[in-house]
Amino acid sequence: GAGVSQSPSNKVTEKGKDVELRCDPISGHTALYWYRQSLGQGLEFLIYFQGNSAPDKSGLPSDRFSAERTGGSVSTLTIQRTQQEDSAVYLCASSRDRGNNQPQHFGDGTRLSIL
Amino acid sequence: GDSVTQMEGPVTLSEEAFLTINCTYTATGYPSLFWYVQYPGEGLQLLLKATKADDKGSNKGFEATYRKETTSFHLEKGSVQVSDSAVYFCALNAGGTSYGKLTFGQGTILTVHP
């Protein structure tokens, strides 16, 4: 497709379960970013990928969070042993490269609800 | 560290009113500045950008000018429409060792009544 695609669009799970969120960036975009949007914290950066490597993981809130990217394309964000405070909308964005004048294009997000 | 501060919302206007949403920033170096918009039930969309001082970004009747001397990037529109009702986010990209990540303001909810 032409835009950034994220799946699932909604995920409801029980506390303590693991979840995987998927992001399919725009074709040819080398830079990929994960952000989290929550009522109390606004929009927060989580992790950045350039190709398959992640030079900046500084926004991951705990070691329960991890992410990978394969083939310079699809990325998955995994949250282990989910907690209620993990409930948020997880947004993925991609850009042509990491240059600071490059706009980031966002997916519609995955709304995660932890019961 | 880098930060963005937006005016408190929500903002409620009548159709055809003038809109200003204030945005100021703190950053090292020479950041690029962006306004993103999130319409109800939709994802974030880039509205406009400016990459250097005195640049003016514009799109869909919205404008914002990159003012380095006041570290500001205020969003303006001369005549709002009901369809402009959305959440507006100011953001900066400081580049360099920030690896291109965006730092966002807290968002401003705009509601336009007919």
Side-chain angles (χ1 to χ4, degrees):
Chain A
V4 177
S5 177
Q6 291 188 247
S7 61
S9 53
N10 284 283
K11 177 72 176 178
V12 181
T13 192
E14 294 179 346
K15 177 182 169 181
K17 301 288 190 184
D18 297 351
V19 294
E20 267 193 8
L21 313 180
R22 176 189 168 105
C23 172
D24 205 336
I26 293 172
S27 178
H29 280 193
T30 61
L32 185 148
Y33 303 82
W34 284 97
Y35 296 88
R36 180 168 71 173
Q37 185 175 23
S38 56
L39 277 177
Q41 302 297 323
L43 274 155
E44 308 170 277
F45 165 79
L46 297 178
I47 187 170
Y48 155 68
F49 285 93
Q50 182 63 38
N52 291 338
S53 64
D56 189 352
K57 306 179 184 179
S58 62
L60 294 178
S62 76
D63 59 8
R64 297 186 295 104
F65 287 71
S66 63
E68 64 174 13
R69 188 179 184 193
T70 54
S73 181
V74 172
S75 176
T76 54
L77 177 69
T78 301
I79 310 173
Q80 295 179 308
R81 305 180 303 282
T82 51
Q83 304 294 314
Q84 287 188 332
E85 63 262 28
D86 300 334
S87 295
V89 177
Y90 289 82
L91 295 170
C92 177
S94 70
S95 62
R96 195 176 306 277
D97 56 52
R98 76 168 205 190
N100 74 337
N101 64 349
Q102 291 294 323
Q104 293 180 23
H105 302 269
F106 284 80
D108 288 341
T110 294
R111 182 175 298 277
L112 177 63
S113 300
I114 309 298
L115 303 178
Chain B
D2 303 330
S3 67
V4 176
T5 302
Q6 286 180 236
M7 66 184 289
E8 294 285 334
V11 175
T12 303
L13 295 173
S14 297
E15 206 164 25
E16 298 183 4
F18 184 85
L19 169 71
T20 300
I21 301 178
N22 289 339
C23 171
T24 57
Y25 67 90
T26 303
T28 53
Y30 302 95
S32 290
L33 302 173
F34 303 85
W35 277 99
Y36 280 84
V37 59
Q38 189 170 35
Y39 297 104
E42 299 184 15
L44 277 169
Q45 301 175 26
L46 176 68
L47 181 59
L48 53 83
K49 71 172 188 177
T51 58
K52 61 183 187 296
D54 300 324
D55 267 4
K56 178 186 283 188
S58 61
N59 186 25
K60 299 182 180 180
F62 291 89
E63 293 182 339
T65 301
Y66 187 164
R67 301 287 188 203
K68 196 170 192 308
E69 64 275 15
T70 54
T71 61
S72 65
F73 193 54
H74 305 319
L75 183 68
E76 296 183 335
K77 186 174 186 182
S79 177
V80 293
Q81 305 300 311
V82 173
S83 57
D84 294 327
S85 297
V87 184
Y88 291 81
F89 293 92
C90 185
L92 71 82
N93 180 338
T97 56
S98 298
Y99 295 107
K101 69 187 176 197
L102 290 171
T103 299
F104 288 91
Q106 65 269 40
T108 301
I109 299 172
L110 171 66
T111 303
V112 180
H113 293 297

